Each structure stands twice: as structure tokens, then as C-alpha cells.
């Protein structure tokens, strides 16, 4: 039963992903944008234009381009073999470039989500323990507020206060001191690499540079997550089994612990969805602090009409999101077998 | 007092407190939304300077707070020269005039995008919920694929490749937000379809299309209208974010995100005013739309 459910969900995800790639491929080529003109400039001669168009393969019929991208034209080396193509701007492999930028975003997001959860869960539970109280009202308003804020502006405000006024944060110019020679990456995650090498000064320096971007994201993300934890806790505390536990004379802390287990699952779903959304949504914070993550890579690709890079970014981000949803669904199916049956 | 008494007291006081909390926040949020709507209509005509023409020194700081009462008095009595209340930005544009002219850009984009998303999503959701066959199943799968796109990056792609204009931002946001409405509408229609009135009209011999439009549609609109307030808020955030990364409206259009982006480099040098004021405007506006959406949702549910 469970295995069949897993199989079906994986199959659906793969079909969804393929559909997405096809849609993106044709959509961006049907748009009235001229990537060749963007590459060679508006004053280029007709010959130069034609040559550039030919080298990008844009003079071929749409269907031929499509088969080439998937590697179905007999020459191989397409998407089906794991190649995302070559960037039109840098001539580098899109897969390599994403491999360099994606860890930056994942590192920032993971750090931010861990800190957010450490704050949001206790605050949400505390709010729910006395619904309607002063603290709960504050929690409620903050939940609405944090989730509806322009994070890029808050990032700038934090730079103004902590870098310009107080001078305790570094300039928002990336993750490492520009004077330092970057070491050869091992995993691509700078924090992890520095620990693996035992370079604790680098580790602390990167953490210092990550402080304001993380603060910005925690400030924004904790809104919806606090709101969700509070709401689920209120609901769980009002349920029959909590009433029974109270009637049976269990201590309030024990009752809270039971209720929390029930409230956790929907909150985890929200965390999973938000993580997927933020993979693309972190672009604004990355831009403010010049972190060079996958979001900034996407901006560069889009503004340069770099089609292979655009396709690659959308494909990678969506795959990770779908992967997260899949894992969440599977965890649910294991916890609650009724899910798999429906 | 036993703990049971406490529970009783708590239950008795909670509803009243909740109503109060709802009221204060609702009034503030409502006033902010009204003010922004008003500015969208009259903002550009009451701004003291032309929001798109630079005719002052760049980076003029705003007047000191202590000087404000005197300046306000002079401005209201018609004496003295116009004041740069919020200072000027890097190109010498008046920040105050741009902040109050921007709602016309931001709000029109958000409201229109939401309107078109409703126009796409509501009929599609009605069809998908009322007539369930392979055609509408396909529609739902298309909507699923649309919904699994990363929103910000997709908006960026659509707008940049179609050409960075207001019209294209509206179109892109409408397409990206419509799946929410398809889903909401479909779910609501499916619960409505099971109700007695549908069965009754069918017995009276009404055609299926007539039942769907006359009875099911008006009864299913509630959740989509509640969602509208939230969507408009998010559309403002997205519009501002697009201009912030350079993929939205073009300068010198007065737009909050663009203004913050232009002021970003000055922040590190202590020139805070070009980006602080538009940011406060976005922050307040989107928060108010979210708060209104929350109030509407609770009113609808109870």
C-alpha cells in the first residue's frame, strides 16, 4: 500500500517536472524578446547577428531546438543525460554555475529556518497557552506583520543601523572578506568547508557576514510560522484528547507536550512550502547583501535573456520544491496511513 | 479557585477580547487602505513637485523635525517656497512627491492583476468544480503545473522577456495568481453542488449551465473575495520586488520598490531618506491589506 503510494507520488512528480520543462522551454521562446540582439548589441551588422543566431542554434526550427535540448536528436548530451546546456553569456556549463550559487542560498536558508523555528515554536506555544491575553495579541499582530513585509527594505534598514550607525556588522558585499583568497571548495557550503579544514577564523568571519541577511530572513519568516504554530496549538489545546488529559489530572506541561506533537505536523508542512518558495524568493535578500546565490544568478540570467541558464534555474528550484513536498507527503503517509489510502 | 473555574473565566473573556483586538486593528488597517486608495486617485495632482522631473540638488536631506511645525504653517498659509519634506534622491527628485504618487502605479498594478486573476480563476474553478470530466481534470493539472513555478522568478522571467511595462507586469501577475482562485473556487463549488438548492433547481428543470451560473456561482464567491485582499497586498510586494532587482517598471516612474532600489547605495553612506520613506509606505500598505484579509476571513467563517 505504502510502496504503491510512494511510487505513484514519485511518478506524478516526474511527469509534473517534465511538463514544467516543456512549458518553460516554449514559453520563453514565444516571448517577444530578442536574445541575439541583447548579446551582439543593437548596432551589430546583419552578418554578426546571423552568425550569433546560428551559433546559439536559434536559426533552427523550434522543434529541432527542443529535441537538441533534451538530447533526442541523436547527438546526445541533452537534459535526459543530466546536461543543462551552456550559458550564452559566460559560455560556462549551467550545471556548474548553479552548483556554485545554489549552496550559498541553501546555506543562508537553512541557517535562517533553524533560527526561525527556535524562536517561532516557543513564542507560538506561549501565545496559544493564553489565547486573548496581551502576549497573545502581540504574537497575533506580529504574525500578520512579519509575513507581509518587504524583506529587501528591512535588509537595508538593518544595514543602516548595524553597519552605518553602530559599525558592528560588515559591509553588505558578500560572504567573505574581499581581501582573503578563497580556498578551493570541498562541498561548496563555505561554512561546512571551513569547518572541514579546521579554519575557525574563516568560519566565524562567514557567520559574521551572514548575520544581517539571516536576521532579515528570520524577521520575515517568523511571522507566518509563529502564526501557524499558534493557530495549531490553539486548535490542539481545544481538542477532546486534551480535555481528557486535563480531566485525568495530567500536569499542564505534559498536556502542552501532547498538544504540541499534534500541532507540529501542519507547521512542518508550512516550513517545507516556505523553504521551497524562499529558494526563489531569497533573491531580494541576496541582492541587498550581494551574496551571489541562485536568486541573483537567476536575475542575471533573466536580464541577459540567457535561455539555458533560465531553464536550468527554474528546473533546479522546482525539482527541489517538488522533492520537499514529496518527502512531506511521505512522512505524512507514514504517520497517518489514511493519507495513502485516499 | 480550581482550575476548572479558570477555564470558565478564560472562555467567557476570550470572545470579548478578540472582538476588541479585531476592532482596533481593523480601523487602522481600513484607514490606511482608504488613504492609499485616495492617493492612487489624487496623489500625483496634490504632490508639491513633479514626481518625474528633477529640479533640485541631489541628496538634499529632509528638514529637521524641529523645523516642521513652522514649515507646515508656512505651507498651509500659502507663504514661502515648496519644501522637500522627505528630501531629494540621487537624481534630485522630490522623495515626498514620489512617495504619494507611487500608489497610482503600485495599487493599479495590484488591483488590476488581482481582477484579471479573478476573471481567469473564477470561471475556470466553476467549470472544474461543477462539471467534472477529463477536460476539467486537464485544467486542474495545468493549474497544478502553474502553481509549482517559483513565483518571483517566474514573474521576473515573464516581465523581462515580454518587455518591462506596467501592462506586462499586470498580465504576468494575473497568470501567476489565477491558480489560487481556480483551487479556491473549485473547492467551494464542490461543497455547494452537494446542497439541496442545486437538486431542487434540477427538479424544476433548469439547465445545468443556468444552475451553475445562477445558484452555485454567487454562493461560492466568498472565499475568493476574502483572498483578494491578501493577493493585492502580495502583488504590491512582488511589484516592488521586481523593480528592486531591475526587472520591473522603468525609472523615472514613481514606484516604491524602484525608489528603495535607487536609495540602496546611499544607505551605506548614511543617506537614509530616499529609501526609508517609500519602505514605510509599502510596509504599512501591505500589512493593512493582510490585516483586512484576516478580518474578512474570520467574518466569513463565523
Amino acid at each position: 500500500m505504502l510502496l504503491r503510494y510512494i511510487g505513484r507520488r514519485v511518478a506524478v512528480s516526474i511527469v509534473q517536472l517534465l511538463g514544467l520543462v516543456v512549458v518553460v522551454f516554449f514559453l520563453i521562446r514565444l516571448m517577444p524578446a530578442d536574445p541575439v540582439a541583447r548579446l551582439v548589441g543593437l548596432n551589430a551588422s546583419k552578418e554578426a547577428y546571423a552568425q550569433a543566431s546560428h551559433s546559439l542554434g536559434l536559426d533552427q526550427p523550434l522543434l529541432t531546438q527542443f529535441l537538441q535540448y533534451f538530447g533526442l536528436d541523436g547527438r546526445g548530451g541533452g537534459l535526459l543525460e543530466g546536461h543543462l546546456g551552456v550559458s550564452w553569456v559566460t559560455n560556462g556549463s549551467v550545471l556548474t554555475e548553479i552548483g556554485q550559487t545554489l549552496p550559498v542560498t541553501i546555506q543562508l536558508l537553512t541557517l535562517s529556518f533553524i533560527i526561525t523555528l527556535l524562536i517561532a515554536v516557543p513564542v507560538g506555544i506561549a501565545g496559544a497557552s493564553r489565547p486573548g491575553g496581551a502576549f497573545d495579541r502581540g504574537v497575533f499582530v506580529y504574525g500578520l506583520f512579519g509575513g507581509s513585509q518587504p524583506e529587501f527594505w528591512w535588509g537595508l534598514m538593518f544595514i543602516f543601523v548595524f553597519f552605518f550607525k553602530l559599525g558592528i556588522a560588515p559591509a553588505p558585499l558578500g560572504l567573505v572578506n574581499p581581501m582573503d583568497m578563497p580556498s578551493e571548495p570541498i562541498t561548496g557550503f563555505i561554512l561546512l568547508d571551513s569547518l572541514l579544514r579546521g579554519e575557525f577564523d574563516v568560519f566565524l568571519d562567514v557567520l559574521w557576514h551572514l548575520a544581517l541577511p539571516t536576521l532579515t530572513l528570520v524577521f520575515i519568516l517568523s511571522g507566518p510560522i509563529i502564526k501557524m504554530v499558534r493557530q495549531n496549538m490553539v486548535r490542539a489545546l481545544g481538542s477532546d484528547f486534551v480535555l481528557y488529559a486535563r480531566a485525568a489530572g495530567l500536569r499542564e506541561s505534559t498536556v502542552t507536550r501532547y498538544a504540541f506533537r499534534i500541532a507540529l505536523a501542519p507547521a512542518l508542512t508550512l516550513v517545507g512550502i516556505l523553504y521551497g518558495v524562499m529558494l526563489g524568493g531569497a533573491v531580494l535578500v541576496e541582492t541587498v547583501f550581494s551574496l551571489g546565490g541562485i536568486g541573483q544568478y537567476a536575475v542575471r540570467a533573466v536580464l541577459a535573456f540567457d535561455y539555458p541558464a533560465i531553464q536550468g534555474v527554474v528546473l533546479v528550484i522546482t525539482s527541489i520544491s517538488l522533492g520537499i513536498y514529496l518527502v512531506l507527503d511521505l512522512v505524512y503517509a507514514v504517520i497517518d496511513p489514511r493519507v495513502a489510502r485516499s | 479557585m480550581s482550575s476548572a473555574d479558570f477555564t470558565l473565566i478564560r472562555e467567557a473573556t476570550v470572545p470579548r477580547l478578540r472582538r476588541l483586538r479585531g476592532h482596533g486593528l481593523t480601523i487602522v488597517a481600513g484607514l490606511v487602505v482608504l488613504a492609499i486608495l485616495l492617493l492612487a486617485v489624487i496623489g500625483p495632482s496634490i504632490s508639491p513637485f513633479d514626481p518625474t522631473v528633477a529640479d533640485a540638488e541631489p541628496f538634499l536631506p529632509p528638514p529637521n523635525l524641529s523645523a516642521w511645525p513652522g514649515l507646515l504653517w508656512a505651507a498651509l498659509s500659502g507663504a514661502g517656497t515648496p519644501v522637500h519634506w522627505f528630501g531629494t534622491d540621487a537624481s534630485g527628485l522630490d522623495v515626498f512627491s514620489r512617495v504619494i504618487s507611487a500608489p497610482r502605479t503600485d495599487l493599479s498594478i495590484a488591483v488590476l492583476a488581482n481582477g484579471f486573476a479573478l476573471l481567469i480563476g473564477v470561471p475556470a474553478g466553476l467549470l472544474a468544480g461543477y462539471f467534472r470530466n477529463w477536460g476539467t481534470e486537464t485544467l486542474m493539472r495545468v493549474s497544478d503545473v502553474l502553481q509549482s513555478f517559483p513565483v518571483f522568478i517566474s514573474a521576473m522571467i515573464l516581465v523581462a522577456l515580454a518587455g518591462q511595462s506596467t501592462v506586462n507586469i499586470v498580465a504576468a501577475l494575473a497568470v501567476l495568481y489565477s491558480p489560487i482562485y481556480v483551487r479556491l473556487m473549485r473547492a467551494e463549488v464542490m461543497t455547494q453542488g452537494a446542497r439541496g438548492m442545486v437538486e431542487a433547481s434540477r427538479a424544476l428543470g433548469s439547465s445545468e449551465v443556468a444552475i451553475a451560473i445562477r445558484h452555485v456561482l454567487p454562493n461560492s464567491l466568498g472565499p475568493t473575495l476574502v483572498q483578494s485582499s491578501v493577493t493585492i497586498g502580495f502583488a504590491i510586494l512582488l511589484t516592488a520586488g521586481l523593480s528592486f532587482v531591475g526587472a520591473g517598471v522603468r525609472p523615472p516612474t514613481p514606484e516604491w520598490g524602484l525608489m528603495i532600489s535607487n536609495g540602496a547605495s546611499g544607505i551605506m553612506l548614511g543617506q537614509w531618506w530616499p529609501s526609508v520613506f517609500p519602505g514605510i509606505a509599502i510596509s504599512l500598505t501591505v500589512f493593512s491589506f493582510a490585516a483586512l484579509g484576516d478580518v474578512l476571513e474570520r467574518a466569513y467563517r463565523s
Side-chain angles (χ1 to χ4, degrees):
Chain A
M1 184 78 88
L2 191 62
L3 275 179
R4 262 189 62 192
Y5 175 75
I6 294 175
R8 208 176 59 215
R9 285 289 285 106
V10 172
V12 167
S13 296
I14 289 173
V15 170
Q16 228 171 347
L17 209 56
L18 283 177
L20 201 93
V21 176
V22 175
V23 170
V24 171
F25 184 93
F26 286 106
L27 192 75
I28 58 180
R29 279 168 178 76
L30 292 176
M31 292 294 232
D34 189 347
V36 183
R38 175 96 17 146
L39 260 184
V40 296
L42 290 170
N43 299 325
S45 65
K46 267 214 170 74
E47 292 78 42
Y49 185 94
Q51 205 194 344
S53 179
H54 179 74
S55 68
L56 299 181
L58 283 170
D59 53 348
Q60 312 260 12
L62 211 51
L63 200 65
T64 317
Q65 293 179 36
F66 181 72
L67 292 178
Q68 260 171 19
Y69 184 65
F70 269 77
L72 292 170
D73 62 340
R75 282 189 292 175
L79 183 65
L80 295 182
E81 288 173 32
H83 297 279
L84 290 179
V86 172
S87 160
W88 290 350
V89 177
T90 63
N91 280 325
S93 149
V94 172
L95 196 65
T96 316
E97 288 176 357
I98 291 179
Q100 284 158 358
T101 51
L102 184 64
V104 174
T105 305
I106 291 196
Q107 180 175 278
L108 171 69
L109 284 184
T110 308
L111 189 66
S112 305
F113 270 90
I114 292 174
I115 297 176
T116 303
L117 279 177
L118 287 179
I119 297 171
V121 169
V123 170
I125 292 178
S129 68
R130 243 171 234 288
F135 183 74
D136 184 44
R137 264 177 292 168
V139 167
F140 171 81
V141 173
Y142 180 75
L144 268 181
F145 184 77
S148 59
Q149 289 304 302
E151 67 271 41
F152 51 101
W153 181 69
W154 284 101
L156 288 173
M157 294 303 103
F158 292 143
I159 291 172
F160 181 69
V161 173
F162 294 104
F163 169 69
F164 179 75
K165 281 279 177 199
L166 303 177
I168 50 173
L173 299 171
L175 278 179
V176 284
N177 194 330
M179 296 299 157
D180 289 349
M181 280 295 283
S183 316
E184 197 61 28
I186 304 173
T187 59
F189 299 92
I190 307 183
L191 278 179
L192 206 61
D193 285 358
S194 60
L195 278 188
L196 286 178
R197 281 207 192 82
E199 299 166 342
F200 291 103
D201 50 334
V202 177
F203 179 78
L204 290 177
D205 190 55
V206 174
L207 268 190
W208 188 48
H209 281 83
L210 272 173
L212 285 192
T214 309
L215 173 68
T216 312
L217 280 177
V218 169
F219 178 71
I220 298 298
L221 290 170
S222 50
I225 295 181
I226 285 180
K227 197 174 150 196
M228 189 74 172
V229 171
R230 177 192 165 276
Q231 203 173 316
N232 290 319
M233 264 315 267
V234 169
R235 199 174 301 151
L237 283 172
S239 65
D240 285 344
F241 82 92
V242 166
L243 191 68
Y244 177 74
R246 286 219 174 100
L250 293 183
R251 261 178 297 142
E252 195 56 32
S253 60
T254 316
V255 174
T256 306
R257 211 176 57 231
Y258 285 167
F260 174 64
R261 266 218 311 254
I262 303 299
L264 189 65
L268 274 186
T269 311
L270 181 76
V271 170
I273 292 174
L274 273 180
Y275 198 100
V277 169
M278 288 315 289
L279 274 175
V283 45
L284 293 167
V285 172
E286 286 171 14
T287 309
V288 170
F289 294 97
S290 320
L291 299 180
I294 194 166
Q296 269 187 295
Y297 182 68
V299 173
R300 217 177 326 137
V302 167
L303 294 182
F305 295 167
D306 188 351
Y307 290 178
I310 296 175
Q311 283 158 204
V313 167
V314 174
L315 180 66
V316 167
I317 290 185
T318 317
S319 312
I320 299 176
S321 302
L322 287 177
I324 295 173
Y325 299 161
L326 189 66
V327 171
L328 283 174
D329 277 2
L330 296 185
V331 169
Y332 268 15
V334 172
I335 294 174
D336 186 350
R338 285 173 302 179
V339 175
R341 234 171 286 143
S342 64
Chain B
M1 225 195 274
S2 73
S3 79
D5 291 335
F6 268 122
T7 319
L8 278 178
I9 290 171
R10 212 185 283 168
E11 267 167 14
T13 50
V14 161
R16 197 155 13 103
L17 279 172
R18 244 181 222 161
R19 270 204 299 276
L20 274 179
R21 175 179 71 197
H23 269 114
L25 196 62
T26 315
I27 291 168
V28 174
L31 284 179
V32 171
V33 168
L34 276 183
I36 297 299
L37 282 171
L38 189 69
L39 282 180
V41 180
I42 63 164
S45 36
I46 61 163
S47 43
F49 293 89
D50 188 322
T52 55
V53 176
D55 51 6
E57 301 248 332
F59 289 128
L60 275 179
N64 264 330
L65 265 183
S66 54
W68 273 55
L71 288 169
L72 254 180
W73 176 249
L76 287 177
S77 58
T81 49
V83 182
H84 295 287
W85 296 107
F86 292 172
T88 60
D89 70 4
S91 27
L93 293 159
D94 181 48
V95 175
F96 178 72
S97 300
R98 287 172 68 73
V99 167
I100 64 169
S101 301
R104 187 171 286 179
T105 317
D106 283 282
L107 209 64
S108 328
I109 291 178
V111 170
L112 283 176
N114 181 59
F116 284 115
L118 279 170
L119 275 184
I120 303 169
V122 167
L126 181 64
L127 277 177
Y130 197 78
F131 305 100
R132 267 174 283 161
N133 50 39
W134 66 267
T136 56
E137 271 307 306
T138 317
L139 184 81
M140 288 317 290
R141 292 292 85 78
V142 172
S143 164
D144 277 352
V145 170
L146 256 182
Q147 214 165 8
S148 54
F149 277 117
V151 176
F152 191 85
I153 289 187
S154 310
M156 207 163 69
I157 295 173
L158 289 174
V159 173
L161 298 192
Q164 288 170 240
S165 67
T166 326
V167 176
N168 286 333
I169 298 177
V170 170
L173 296 194
V175 170
L176 290 171
Y177 285 136
S178 57
I180 308 172
Y181 291 122
V182 176
R183 199 148 285 285
L184 274 176
M185 192 66 191
R186 177 171 173 269
E188 195 62 18
V189 165
M190 275 159 57
T191 60
Q192 295 292 333
R195 276 171 55 175
M197 55 171 189
V198 171
E199 206 67 26
S201 319
R202 217 169 262 154
L204 287 171
S206 307
S207 73
E208 291 293 324
V209 176
I211 298 173
I213 291 176
R214 210 174 302 150
H215 302 293
V216 178
L217 175 65
N219 279 302
S220 315
L221 278 176
T224 59
L225 296 181
V226 168
Q227 176 67 31
S228 287
S229 181
V230 178
T231 305
I232 290 177
F234 279 131
I236 294 175
L237 274 187
L238 196 57
T239 308
L242 283 177
S243 345
F244 185 77
V245 297
V249 293
R250 297 268 192 202
T253 317
E255 199 279 324
W256 289 327
L258 202 56
M259 295 177 69
I260 297 176
S261 163
N262 286 339
S265 48
I267 280 277
M268 278 194 276
L269 308 169
Q271 287 146 343
W272 49 272
W273 55 93
S275 44
V276 163
F277 292 111
I280 294 174
I282 302 185
S283 170
L284 268 181
T285 308
V286 182
F287 174 59
S288 300
F289 273 108
L292 271 194
D294 192 79
V295 170
L296 287 177
E297 194 192 336
R298 268 183 293 157
Y300 179 78
R301 266 210 236 118
S302 57

